[in-house]
Amino acid sequence: MMSLDEEFKPPSSTEQHPGPHVCMATLVHTLLHVHLFGVKARAVIPHLTRIMSGSTTSMMVDEQRLPENNVQQIELLTGTEDSYGGVRIEIKNRMDSNVFGDVLRASISQWRQKGTKGVWIKLPIQHANLVEAAVKEGFWYHHAEPDYLMLVLWIPKTAHTLPANASHRVGIGAFVINSKREVLVVQENSGRFKGTGVWKLPTGVVNEGEDICTAAIREVEEETGIKTEFVEILAFRQSHKAFFTKSDLFFVCMLQPLSTEIQKQEEELEAAQWMAMEEYAAQPFVKKNPLFDSIANICLAKKDMKYTGFSPFSATSSSGKTNILYFNNQDLKQPLSSGNQA
């Protein structure tokens, strides 16, 4: 490796001498580059980088190619500080991965000096070329959505306290019982119950931002065409290592039908019908499976008015958000006055 003296030797008589003040500036900026980025000085440096701290709240880095002997200006990554000593960055501009790596190293150095703890970088899918550079600087995957990847870094030399990605998936099972005391049941043409002849309650997954009661109504109508009104949650079950190692919450919901004519979804269902509750509960598969048998017994008790579930009430939190509170109000001396039945 050549020394700095060799790298910055005076130009020959055939070269245009840029003047002593330019040579000194070159040396100063190069040493700054070495200090901030942790890279070795090169013999030929056609474009230098000056690190300038920005004051905007969004990421404002963009590579500008300038003529030789001019200075390339790159602002540090800036973002929104959170309430836990961290910073959140969203990459919005296209960037070369090598330039991004240099800027990221400089930014981490500044965050470390400021005492920043966690760094969150949101990478839209169109900037996926920057993933490798971020991982090389110590970032790891936190979660991914269809249009972005979230990367995170913990700067202090302590165990991180960053919240984990969502740990549960939420599902519903719909207990829909009509005026004849018949329950709505389906046979699936895919999944574990395909071809088994087992009749089961309509089930589905709660979407992001969707209330459990709304999801139950939606799933029943999508699968069977039956319009319903939500009554209450009868029970719920938690299991683990279910869907891509995530835990699973499953809510058994009681609904009252507002229509009776079934129009089954051909893609998902083999059949759908109204069935006597006792016949559903007596299926060999249900009787042999303790979980299914327990749910069936709860539904039978509810049919006979011997069981009270959890009714939904809407309530506003201190932050102003509307929430659905599910609770058993059987033993309350008076109804909750701060909420309205959902």
Side-chain angles (χ1 to χ4, degrees):
M1 180 183 72
M2 62 178 65
S3 66
L4 286 178
D5 291 337
E6 292 174 309
E7 293 181 8
F8 295 97
K9 63 184 179 180
S12 65
S13 58
T14 59
E15 296 175 323
Q16 182 179 358
H17 199 292
H21 63 286
V22 176
C23 290
M24 182 59 68
T26 300
L27 177 58
V28 170
H29 287 303
T30 302
L31 291 177
L32 176 61
H33 190 86
V34 172
H35 172 70
L36 289 177
F37 298 136
V39 297
K40 298 179 181 179
R42 297 186 294 270
V44 179
I45 309 178
H47 304 289
L48 298 178
T49 302
R50 182 169 66 193
I51 306 302
M52 302 180 65
S53 179
S55 58
T56 57
T57 59
S58 62
M59 187 278 176
M60 293 291 292
V61 177
D62 195 9
E63 182 184 12
Q64 300 292 333
R65 292 296 181 186
L66 301 178
E68 189 170 348
N69 291 331
N70 281 346
V71 175
Q72 177 186 345
Q73 297 184 359
I74 300 180
E75 295 182 356
L76 295 177
L77 295 174
T78 59
T80 303
E81 295 183 355
D82 60 31
S83 302
Y84 305 95
V87 62
R88 298 175 182 269
I89 310 294
E90 182 174 356
I91 304 301
K92 295 182 178 180
N93 299 332
R94 183 183 61 82
M95 211 186 322
D96 176 80
S97 60
N98 293 325
V99 173
F100 178 68
D102 286 346
V103 174
L104 190 55
R105 282 192 292 276
S107 299
I108 292 172
S109 177
Q110 184 190 62
W111 291 325
R112 182 177 289 109
Q113 293 177 16
K114 292 175 59 179
T116 301
K117 295 179 180 179
V119 181
W120 303 77
I121 293 185
K122 182 178 180 181
L123 277 181
I125 194 169
Q126 61 266 32
H127 302 310
N129 64 305
L130 305 182
V131 171
E132 183 177 1
V135 172
K136 286 182 178 179
E137 298 308 319
F139 282 80
W140 67 85
Y141 299 152
H142 186 268
H143 67 270
E145 294 294 340
D147 58 346
Y148 77 86
L149 173 69
M150 185 68 76
L151 297 162
V152 67
L153 172 71
W154 183 253
I155 295 179
K157 295 181 179 180
T158 59
H160 80 79
T161 58
L162 298 171
N165 184 25
S167 60
H168 285 67
R169 183 182 67 163
V170 180
I172 62 94
F175 172 57
V176 185
I177 187 167
N178 63 19
S179 59
K180 299 178 181 179
R181 314 303 250 173
E182 296 172 327
V183 62
L184 181 64
V185 293
V186 300
Q187 287 184 343
E188 297 178 340
N189 60 16
S190 62
R192 60 176 293 200
F193 292 105
K194 177 182 179 180
T196 63
V198 172
W199 291 97
K200 58 185 288 292
L201 302 179
T203 58
V205 177
V206 179
N207 295 328
E208 181 178 358
E210 185 179 38
D211 294 320
I212 293 170
C213 51
T214 304
I217 293 172
R218 174 185 54 78
E219 283 289 350
V220 170
E221 185 171 5
E222 286 180 356
E223 289 192 4
T224 68
I226 299 294
K227 296 183 181 298
T228 60
E229 180 181 33
F230 188 86
V231 179
E232 59 188 20
I233 290 177
L234 299 181
F236 71 91
R237 170 279 277 148
Q238 182 184 32
S239 63
H240 305 289
K241 302 294 182 182
F243 184 75
F244 290 106
T245 74
K246 298 298 182 182
S247 297
D248 188 85
L249 287 172
F250 183 82
F251 292 84
V252 181
C253 304
M254 180 179 180
L255 298 96
Q256 180 180 345
L258 301 178
S259 62
T260 58
E261 185 178 352
I262 296 174
Q263 298 176 343
K264 72 179 180 71
Q265 186 182 59
E266 298 293 337
E267 184 179 350
E268 294 186 11
L269 299 183
E270 181 68 26
Q273 68 176 39
W274 295 101
M275 175 183 286
M277 184 63 212
E278 291 75 11
E279 183 181 350
Y280 164 77
Q283 291 182 97
F285 174 83
V286 173
K287 301 300 292 184
K288 293 179 181 179
N289 188 302
L291 178 62
F292 279 74
D293 188 43
S294 297
I295 292 175
N297 288 331
I298 291 173
C299 293
L300 283 170
K302 182 63 183 179
K303 178 182 76 69
D304 296 331
M305 307 298 291
K306 297 178 180 180
Y307 181 87
T308 301
F310 298 87
S311 302
F313 282 77
S314 61
T316 303
S317 67
S318 59
S319 63
K321 293 182 179 180
T322 299
N323 300 268
I324 303 296
L325 176 66
Y326 299 90
F327 70 101
N328 184 325
N329 62 2
Q330 184 178 24
D331 298 324
L332 289 179
K333 294 182 179 179
Q334 61 182 17
L336 295 183
S337 59
S338 60
N340 299 313
Q341 190 162 3

